[in-house]
Amino acid sequence: MDETREILMGWHRQGHALADIYLSGIGLAAQLLGERWSSDEVDFVHCTIAHSRLHQTLHEFSAEFLSEGCAKPNGLNLLLMTEPSSQHGLGGFMLSEFFRHGGWNVTLCAPQDMAEFKRIFQSDWFDAVALSMSTDRYLDAVAQALSDILPLEVNPSLKVFVGGPMAQIEPLRLSWPGTHLLNGNATQAVAMVTQSVKKTGRQPNVTPRLSKYSLIPHP
């Protein structure tokens, strides 16, 4: 852990922005770990430990990373949610940091099952929803849930984006009605979602709801 921290701090002292370190350092390291695990070069235990250390570094750099971002909140609310029972928390947390870096208020959730997935989706009023799909286990279930939920949303202009590893592996399987594909990096995702929401125009929150899933904003 100390060696990992020293490498990242060294890059930062050399003048590299934390956003670049996140994408080209931590992000690519996590991708490489995944590839080595898939090819049995690294076992599950060591892969999990490595991911947890990378995740920890994101928490340690969080305050400084956010201070490099948007000077003030943009007033937009995002629900960022993984597929049920997901074991891939690093990517979701990193993406949430980039959205906060861009001025968004983010609710980050990892539901345990489809029932909780639906409850979270309808727990509050959001300008956009971003779903991270890591495997194909819940593709059909999530697609069906969206077809049931979206017509009932209080925000008629709600934008739903779908990304994650599956967006790179099998993007055609994420071509769901009423959704948009996210298959770029975190910076590109923030730009795409922000532009899409602002282009549509923010609708008033006519029926505000409090969510037990909402996170306390980072200082």
Side-chain angles (χ1 to χ4, degrees):
M1 187 64 222
D2 291 338
E3 292 176 359
T4 300
R5 187 183 295 110
E6 183 59 34
I7 289 173
L8 299 178
M9 291 179 65
W11 288 340
H12 196 33
R13 287 193 295 267
Q14 292 171 12
H16 297 286
L18 284 177
D20 294 330
I21 293 172
Y22 280 15
L23 293 177
S24 300
I26 297 177
L28 290 183
Q31 181 180 330
L32 181 59
L33 282 169
E35 293 172 355
R36 289 185 174 179
W37 178 66
S38 297
S39 61
D40 292 326
E41 295 179 60
V42 179
D43 63 33
F44 178 78
V45 173
H46 286 88
C47 188
T48 299
I49 293 173
H51 273 98
S52 69
R53 288 175 176 170
L54 292 175
H55 202 154
Q56 182 178 334
T57 62
L58 291 179
H59 282 282
E60 293 179 0
F61 282 107
S62 180
E64 186 171 359
F65 176 69
L66 296 180
S67 71
E68 293 180 356
C70 187
K72 61 181 180 178
N74 61 16
L76 299 175
N77 300 308
L78 173 77
L79 170 61
L80 176 54
M81 188 159 49
T82 65
E83 65 184 70
S85 303
S86 175
Q87 302 298 316
H88 299 268
L90 175 64
F93 181 76
M94 181 186 292
L95 183 58
S96 74
E97 290 287 272
F98 272 88
F99 272 99
R100 292 188 180 99
H101 184 273
W104 284 74
N105 178 55
V106 180
T107 298
L108 175 62
C109 296
Q112 294 302 305
D113 51 36
M114 285 306 304
E116 187 177 15
F117 178 94
K118 294 178 181 180
R119 287 198 300 271
I120 294 172
F121 204 105
Q122 299 175 300
S123 66
D124 209 338
W125 194 98
F126 301 103
D127 295 286
V129 176
L131 305 176
S132 177
M133 306 301 296
S134 300
T135 70
D136 61 0
R137 291 178 299 171
Y138 287 92
L139 292 185
D140 293 339
V142 170
Q144 181 60 52
L146 292 179
S147 68
D148 296 337
I149 294 172
L150 290 181
L152 305 177
E153 275 297 312
V154 295
N155 176 10
S157 299
L158 178 69
K159 300 291 185 179
V160 180
F161 300 84
V162 186
M166 289 301 297
Q168 301 291 334
I169 299 171
E170 294 187 84
L172 294 180
R173 295 189 64 185
L174 302 184
S175 300
W176 301 331
T179 67
H180 309 271
L181 186 67
L182 288 177
N183 58 1
N185 63 33
T187 299
Q188 293 167 338
V190 174
M192 177 180 177
V193 175
T194 303
Q195 181 180 15
S196 179
V197 171
K198 289 187 174 181
K199 182 178 180 180
T200 302
R202 194 177 194 274
Q203 299 296 319
N205 182 0
V206 293
T207 56
R209 290 175 284 178
L210 295 178
S211 170
K212 68 177 182 179
Y213 301 98
S214 296
L215 300 179
I216 298 175
H218 284 234

